[in-house]
């Protein structure tokens, strides 16, 4: 009974990570790669590809080390495509995602729960105590007083050690955090350098450590992606939220097609391991005939410089989690120097199922200065990403 009460609960055990989700925009498809928690190593590695509409008919290759497989995406069959790979070791791995001529290499770490050293002491101590005390009782019953006393004594010592370690164990779990990393410097390249409207082109960010100048290779997964890339036209009429492929150390790329000529802005949001989030940006020009910008009325009017809550009615329930959220709000000012991001979180009911979301989404954001802002609300239902554009008037 004492053992059952005193042995620390499994809450202290460094458990297997939760599912790892990585959004990727590859060969014209918006996917989320889900690496499921691994129960044992060596053992199966369960990978799900979640495809969002419109799904392109294509083969997607997934490989981890020498274990590889393919998934055949079916046109207009959005949803989950499962695949089972094999993993041999714990530690850092790379998942290689291929589709058409595009490749992305995604680092991840396999962690399988293993007892910590202090747990060995606790379990070992209680185990030894049990054996010694039992032996002492047997010796006592046979009237070997000296032997019984010394066995009992060792048993008591073992129990004291185990109980002490069990009590102080929370302080033994230390976490070393390396904070205060320098910013990443971002260099934007667009190829061709001046793309034409209606033609596919590549947007690339090369990220270099601000101190060493080396490629930044410690991007952390945040909001289910290594990098969130927002491409907007200066006039606010074009918007794409992409998840660029990691094509090299410190390099991410996305392919897209612009629908109008003019100036465009690329904003990339990412986080380095054990460092804060960062937003970097660049601008480029798209050639082609000019298009008229329709006159739009503001959806909302807010004061500048204080938090405001925006309520959006999607007109639908059953919203799905996308990038770990029920809804996303991306806000940009007119010249593109400000880009904001708000979320509606997914909530769970007490029985662990995800609560039904929609039709309303609420976002709390603030606008630094008066002026006109473009806003895009994004949510997912039936694996269809909906983007609703809005105009916001911000007063002083
Ligand atoms: Cu994103």
């Amino acid at each position: 009974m004492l053992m059952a009460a005193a042995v620390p609960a499994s809450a202290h055990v460094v458990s297997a990570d939760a599912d790892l989700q990585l959004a990727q925009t590859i060969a014209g498809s918006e996917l989320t790669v889900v690496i499921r928690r691994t129960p044992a190593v060596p053992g199966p590695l369960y990978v799900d590809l979640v495809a969002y509409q419109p799904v392109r008919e294509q083969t997607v290759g997934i490989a981890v080390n020498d274990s590889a497989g393919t998934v055949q995406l079916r046109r207009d069959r959005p949803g989950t495509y499962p695949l089972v790979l094999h993993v041999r070791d714990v530690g850092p791995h790379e998942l290689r995602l291929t589709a058409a001529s595009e490749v992305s290499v995604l680092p991840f770490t396999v962690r399988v729960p293993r007892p910590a050293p202090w747990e060995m002491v606790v379990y070992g101590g209680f185990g030894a105590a049990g054996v010694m005390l039992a032996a002492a009782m047997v010796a006592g019953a046979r009237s070997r007083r000296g032997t019984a006393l010394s066995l009992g004594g060792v048993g008591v010592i073992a129990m004291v050690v185990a109980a002490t370690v069990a009590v102080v164990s929370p302080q033994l779990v230390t976490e070393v955090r390396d904070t205060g990393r320098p910013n990443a410097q971002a260099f934007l390249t667009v190829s061709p350098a001046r793309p034409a409207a209606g033609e596919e082109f590549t947007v690339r960010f090369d990220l270099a450590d601000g101190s060493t100048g080396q490629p930044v290779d410690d991007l952390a997964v945040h909001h289910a992606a290594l990098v969130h890339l927002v491409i907007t036209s200066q006039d606010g009429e074009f918007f794409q939220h992409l998840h660029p492929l990691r094509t090299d150390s410190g390099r991410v790329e996305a392919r897209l097609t612009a629908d109008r000529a003019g100036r465009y802005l690329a904003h990339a949001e990412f986080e380095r391991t054990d460092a804060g989030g960062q937003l970097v940006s660049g601008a480029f020009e798209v050639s082609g005939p000019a298009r008229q910008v329709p006159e739009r009325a503001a959806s909302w009017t807010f004061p500048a410089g204080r938090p405001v809550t925006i309520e959006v009615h999607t007109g639908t329930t059953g919203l799905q989690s996308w990038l770990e959220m029920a809804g996303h709000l991306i806000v940009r000012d007119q010249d593109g120097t400000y880009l904001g991001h708000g979320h509606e979180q997914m909530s769970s009911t007490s029985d662990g199922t995800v609560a039904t979301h929609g039709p309303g989404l609420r976002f709390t954001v603030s606008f630094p200065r008066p002026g006109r802002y473009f806003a895009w609300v994004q949510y997912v239902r039936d694996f269809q990403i909906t983007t609703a554009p809005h105009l916001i008037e911000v007063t002083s």
Side-chain angles (χ1 to χ4, degrees), residues 273-290:
T273 304
D274 296 330
Q278 242 189 287
L279 178 70
V280 297
S281 64
F284 58 95
E285 293 284 335
V286 170
S287 63

Side-chain angles (χ1 to χ4, degrees), residues 62-355:
I62 304 170
V64 172
N65 302 335
D66 54 356
S67 176
T70 58
V71 157
Q72 183 60 50
L73 299 185
R74 297 269 167 237
R75 182 181 301 279
D76 301 324
R77 221 283 273 152
T80 303
Y81 292 81
L83 182 73
V84 185
L85 297 178
H86 194 266
V87 68
R88 268 187 280 185
D89 303 299
V90 292
H93 285 71
E94 283 183 341
L95 183 143
R96 205 176 149 84
L97 185 73
T98 51
S101 61
E102 299 185 17
V103 182
S104 188
V105 180
L106 303 163
F108 70 101
T109 302
V110 175
R111 252 179 236 158
V112 168
R114 277 190 185 164
W118 60 263
E119 285 179 287
M120 308 288 236
V121 174
V122 172
Y123 291 117
F126 278 118
V131 170
M132 290 301 171
L133 293 177
M137 282 161 76
V138 170
R142 291 182 180 177
S143 306
R144 288 181 191 165
R145 183 174 268 212
T147 312
L149 276 177
S150 54
L151 284 172
V154 172
V156 167
I157 290 167
M159 198 187 289
V160 166
V161 168
T164 307
V165 173
V167 168
V168 303
S169 64
Q171 284 110 47
L172 295 177
V173 182
T174 53
E175 220 178 303
V176 181
R177 288 187 80 84
D178 177 13
T179 50
R181 274 164 205 262
N183 273 356
Q185 307 295 313
F187 304 94
L188 172 70
T189 313
V190 175
S191 61
R194 195 184 168 93
E199 281 174 24
E200 205 177 42
F201 63 99
T202 302
V203 169
R204 171 195 303 157
F205 270 110
D206 283 299
L207 306 174
D209 184 282
S211 168
T212 64
Q214 293 299 304
V216 168
D217 220 6
D218 57 358
L219 294 182
V221 176
H222 93 290
H223 300 323
L226 290 175
V227 176
H228 299 265
L229 178 64
V230 173
I231 308 282
T232 51
S233 58
Q234 177 86 60
D235 63 13
E237 292 293 310
F238 178 92
F239 169 91
Q240 291 227 328
H241 173 182
L242 306 164
H243 300 100
L245 308 177
R246 180 179 169 276
T247 54
D248 204 346
S249 192
R251 172 172 289 182
V252 292
E253 295 186 4
R255 290 186 68 75
L256 73 153
T257 305
D259 68 345
R260 61 195 53 239
R263 186 170 186 261
Y264 280 73
L265 298 149
H267 287 92
E269 212 180 77
F270 57 87
E271 207 175 286
R272 296 181 70 180
T273 304
D274 296 330
Q278 242 189 287
L279 178 70
V280 297
S281 64
F284 58 95
E285 293 284 335
V286 170
S287 63
R291 273 171 68 164
Q292 270 229 294
V293 179
E295 196 54 47
R296 294 192 193 281
S299 300
W300 304 286
T301 302
F302 294 113
R306 72 176 88 135
V308 295
T309 300
I310 297 179
E311 288 198 45
V312 179
H313 290 276
T314 64
T316 182
T317 54
L319 299 183
Q320 294 168 311
S321 170
W322 181 51
L323 311 173
E324 297 168 352
M325 303 289 168
H328 298 259
L329 172 76
I330 294 169
V331 180
R332 205 204 79 194
D333 65 355
Q334 273 197 307
D335 60 10
T337 51
Y338 168 82
L339 189 93
H341 198 162
H343 295 121
E344 164 85 87
Q345 306 220 335
M346 295 303 286
S347 55
S348 298
T349 56
S350 53
D351 65 354
T353 57
V354 174

Side-chain angles (χ1 to χ4, degrees), residues 32-56:
T32 298
V33 181
V34 184
I35 306 172
R36 302 228 167 266
R37 62 198 83 190
T38 42
V41 172
L45 181 73
Y46 298 96
V47 180
D48 286 347
L49 270 193
V50 183
Y52 295 93
Q53 298 196 58
V55 183
R56 286 204 186 173

